[in-house]
């Protein structure tokens, strides 16, 4: 029986377990990646492990999230990250060098490698045939210490591409088609593997856009074969020696197959407030637009900006629209500067933004009250932009540029421009000068914002407390732990904890800490797909700090589940989804005999307020159960 590409790469890296879908396995990690917003905690955790230097093949620390620097916190974090990188053998990508996933694709990602990154869009590198997984910072710290990564062997879904994209339709529309089909929930422990004749019509940056937003479906990763297009890209980057041809066997057997004809796709948009809420641009045509932002790790490559500039060339941004462009990397910025693309953008009225995450994470460019913002980024979660009343739509660079000119949602096929001359250049800029390579000599700098990674206590034999909050379906990590203006507290847990669930319940933090101080154990009650989105482990650490001991949900997303287990919070699922309705916020709850229940996997929740007995099951591997009993992974590795 033929093998899928995913299983070929997993078997090359398998350290422990049986490679069968649903089984727990551990794999060797070749490359790691961190960014500053998750990196400070990851390196503090790495330090807590007392390992002298990184043990994996390549570790890179990027600064791209917190680059606005209002107050001393961000700069202090950067200095900590720069000095700890030097000390421990990590390559440091300086602020200004670009967004981690874009820079990784340009400089380090290689076909056939495994990559673990403390950012949920790490699978972007799947576009080059790398098995790339997003994880919490602690998992990445463990990988840097040379400890294999624990995961569930995934099911593999084959997305078979045929045909060729029509003019003005691009990779973003492909992934929005995938999202329209698969949705944002129910794809846990799945790999999307792309095959078929349509693959060769897509460049590596196109494939990276598609792999990037697979994260919004909740998959473990997305994977493209490594073929002539991959060789061509690596050669253009001056890294041709890293090429390795990779594909699935002809007779590979998949868990599911979905056929997508690229020539049938039309321009699409994800509507508020979910990347899975997809409509055709045609359906939205004519809607007034107030802001257009082009950039983010999804769509900020050289070709993305070239195409947008070609549409904007000779036109001017509509008077009631703000247009911003954030190139994905310094290499991209230098290329568009040299070839005149930047001039076209500026002449058209674009505001040029820093090569960083910026607007995508709500750090700046918050849209106006009740306004409409078109963005080429990957997430339009409620309030993520910084303006809760705004409507954020996710679109391709082509749709963004066409709409910036007209001031209304516009199908780019109607813009009257010709972009057929926009082609990938023969070589791509490749400047290494903003990386700092380790010398193992720096003195580690710690500003006042740098705290200690907090630890949990061992799991008590019985839990007794209240349902401190009850939430609906698809609660994202942006709901749990806001980013934007609050992100500067990432290395200061007591401060950051004040903002847990800020956008949906401003009293939560006070209520939870008061309960904790009374000696109660906190419960979070949730419905489907709890913890979607980001890999930020703060969505587990801060609730832990507030005394949360269990999340009881209908379903929990993969990375968040791992983060909960890593910090000793019980991830529990309802045996019967309807029991969700039997618990109300504020109910007094109790679980006894937790240690025995850990072994059987079955827990009984006593709702003391109603008298109901509600059966639950643990959602954790055997290894994770041990971790939770000890109160988290840090307690475990320190033993
Ligand atoms: C995001 O896009 O939500 C982030 C910010 O990049 C996060 C990481 C973080 O919260 O630091 C992610 O995607 O994992
Ligand atoms: Fe940065 Fe946005 Fe990409 Fe997250 S999704 S890594 S915030 S650009």
């Amino acid at each position: 029986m033929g093998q899928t590409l995913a299983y070929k790469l997993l078997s090359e890296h398998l350290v422990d377990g049986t490679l069968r879908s649903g089984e727990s396995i551990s794999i060797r990690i070749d490359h790691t990646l961190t960014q500053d917003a998750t990196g400070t905690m990851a390196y503090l955790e790495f330090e807590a492990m007392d390992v002298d230097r990184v043990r994996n093949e390549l570790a890179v620390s990027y600064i791209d999230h917190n680059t606005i620097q209002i107050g001393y916190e961000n700069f202090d974090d950067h200095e900590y990250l720069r000095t700890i990188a030097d000390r421990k053998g990590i390559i440091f990508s300086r602020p200004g060098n670009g967004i981690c996933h874009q820079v990784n694709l340009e400089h380090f990602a290689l076909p056939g490698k495994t990559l673990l990154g403390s950012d949920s869009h790490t699978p972007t590198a799947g576009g080059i045939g790398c098995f790339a997984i997003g994880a919490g910072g602690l998992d990445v710290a463990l990988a840097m210490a040379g400890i294999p990564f624990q995961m569930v062997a995934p099911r593999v879904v084959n997305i078979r591409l045929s045909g060729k994209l029509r003019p003005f339709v691009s990779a973003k529309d492909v992934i929005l088609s995938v999202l329209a089909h698969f949705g944002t929930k129910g794809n846990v422990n799945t790999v999307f593997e792309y095959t078929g004749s349509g693959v060769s019509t897509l460049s590596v940056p196109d494939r990276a856009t598609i792999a990037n937003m697979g994260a919004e479906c909740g998959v473990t990763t997305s994977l493209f074969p490594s073929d002539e297009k991959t060789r061509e890209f690596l050669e253009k980057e001056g890294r041709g020696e890293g090429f390795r041809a990779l594909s699935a066997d002809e007779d590979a057997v998949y868990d599911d197959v979905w056929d997508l004809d690229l020539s049938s796709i039309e321009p699409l948009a994800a509507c508020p407030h979910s990347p899975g809420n997809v409509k055709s641009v045609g359906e939205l045509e004519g809607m007034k637009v107030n802001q257009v932002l082009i950039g983010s790790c999804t769509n900020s490559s050289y070709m993305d900006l070239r195409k947008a500039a070609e549409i904007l060339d000779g036109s001017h941004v509509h008077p009631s629209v703000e247009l911003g462009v954030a190139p994905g990397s310094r290499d991209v910025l230098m290329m568009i500067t040299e070839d005149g693309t930047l001039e076209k953008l500026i002449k058209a009225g674009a505001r040029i933004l820093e090569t960083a995450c910026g607007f995508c994470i709500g750090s700046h460019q918050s849209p106006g009250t009740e306004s409409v913002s078109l963005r080429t980024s990957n997430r339009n979660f409620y309030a993520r932009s910084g303006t809760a009343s705004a409507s954020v739509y996710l679109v391709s660079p082509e749709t963004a540029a066409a709409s910036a000119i007209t001031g209304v949602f516009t199908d780019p096929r109607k813009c009257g421009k010709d972009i057929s001359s926009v082609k990938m250049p023969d070589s791509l800029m490749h400047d290494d000068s903003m990386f700092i390579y380790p010398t193992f000599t720096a003195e580690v700098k710690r500003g006042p914002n740098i705290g200690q990674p907090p630890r949990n206590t061992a799991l008590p034999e019985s839990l007794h407390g209240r349902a401190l909050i009850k939430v609906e379906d698809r609660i994202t990590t942006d709901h749990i732990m806001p980013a934007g203006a609050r992100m500067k507290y990432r290395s200061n847990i007591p401060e950051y904890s004040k903002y847990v669930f800020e956008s949906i319940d401003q009293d939560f933090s006070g209520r939870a800490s008061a309960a904790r101080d009374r000696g109660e154990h906190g419960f979070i009650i949730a419905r489907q797909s709890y913890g979607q989105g980001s890999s930020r482990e703060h969505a587990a650490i801060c609730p832990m700090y507030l005394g949360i001991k269990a999340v009881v949900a209908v379903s929990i997303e993969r990375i968040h589940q791992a983060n909960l287990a890593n910090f000793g919070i019980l991830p529990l699922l309802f045996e019967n989804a309807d029991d969700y309705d039997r618990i109300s916020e504020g109910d007094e709850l109790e679980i006894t005999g937790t240690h025995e229940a850990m072994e059987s996997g079955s827990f009984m929740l006593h709702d003391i307020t109603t008298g109901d007995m509600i059966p639950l099951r643990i959602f954790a591997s055997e290894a994770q159960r041990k971790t939770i009993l000890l109160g988290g992974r840090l307690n475990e590795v320190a033993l």
Side-chain angles (χ1 to χ4, degrees), residues 76-95:
D76 281 4
D77 281 359
H78 301 174
E79 281 297 277
Y80 167 70
L81 289 166
R82 181 179 66 77
T83 51
I84 193 74
D86 183 83
R87 194 81 208 183
K88 300 284 185 185
I90 298 142
I91 299 171
F92 181 72
S93 175
R94 300 174 68 176

Side-chain angles (χ1 to χ4, degrees), residues 56 58 73 194:
N56 62 313
L58 177 90
E73 293 91 345
Y194 291 85

Side-chain angles (χ1 to χ4, degrees), residues 35 64-65 99-101 119-121 212 216 295-298 356-362 377-379 384 487 536:
Q35 39 88 343
D64 52 3
H65 279 63
I99 305 173
C100 54
H101 309 302
D119 191 281
S120 64
H121 291 105
N212 172 283
E216 274 47 74
S296 91
C297 58
T298 319
C357 297
F359 71 81
C360 174
I361 189 59
S377 44
N378 45 35
R379 289 184 173 151
R384 179 176 164 103
M487 205 159 56
R536 64 191 71 149

Side-chain angles (χ1 to χ4, degrees), residues 334-354:
M334 289 197 291
M335 273 191 286
I336 65 168
T337 308
E338 280 187 2
D339 72 3
T341 302
L342 183 62
E343 192 181 334
K344 287 179 186 168
L345 292 169
I346 296 171
K347 278 193 173 149
R351 294 172 64 182
I352 306 303
L353 310 172
E354 191 180 6

